[in-house]
Amino acid sequence: MATIYRQAQRMAHESPVIFWSLAMGFAGPIMVLTVPPIRKSFGYKQAERIPTTFPVPNRPRRAVSGYEDP
């Protein structure tokens, strides 16, 4: 375990871009599993879903008039 820490420390010092890219890449899947239960414990409630269709009125359609070409 100490060798992994030393290698990570060396990589952070010599090539920080690669080190932080890997750290952020590994943090993503871990956050997928840990963040939702934490949010639930704080009382977060999801917003209502955005409607994907326009509600159709429950009546017969009227013919459009007044837009004819002269």
Side-chain angles (χ1 to χ4, degrees), residues 54-62:
F54 187 78
V56 179
N58 192 10
R59 60 176 169 76
R61 291 182 175 242
R62 290 177 290 201

Side-chain angles (χ1 to χ4, degrees), residues 7-67:
Q7 285 177 344
Q9 191 176 22
R10 181 178 177 200
M11 190 172 200
H13 190 68
E14 292 182 1
S15 53
V17 172
I18 296 172
F19 173 78
W20 287 111
S21 297
L22 289 172
M24 290 172 63
F26 284 123
I30 293 170
M31 288 175 61
V32 167
L33 299 174
T34 58
V35 169
I38 293 170
R39 289 170 74 174
K40 190 174 181 182
S41 69
F42 284 136
Y44 175 78
K45 293 180 183 149
Q46 287 188 335
E48 291 184 25
R49 295 186 67 90
I50 298 172
T52 56
T53 60
F54 187 78
V56 179
N58 192 10
R59 60 176 169 76
R61 291 182 175 242
R62 290 177 290 201
V64 180
S65 63
Y67 294 101

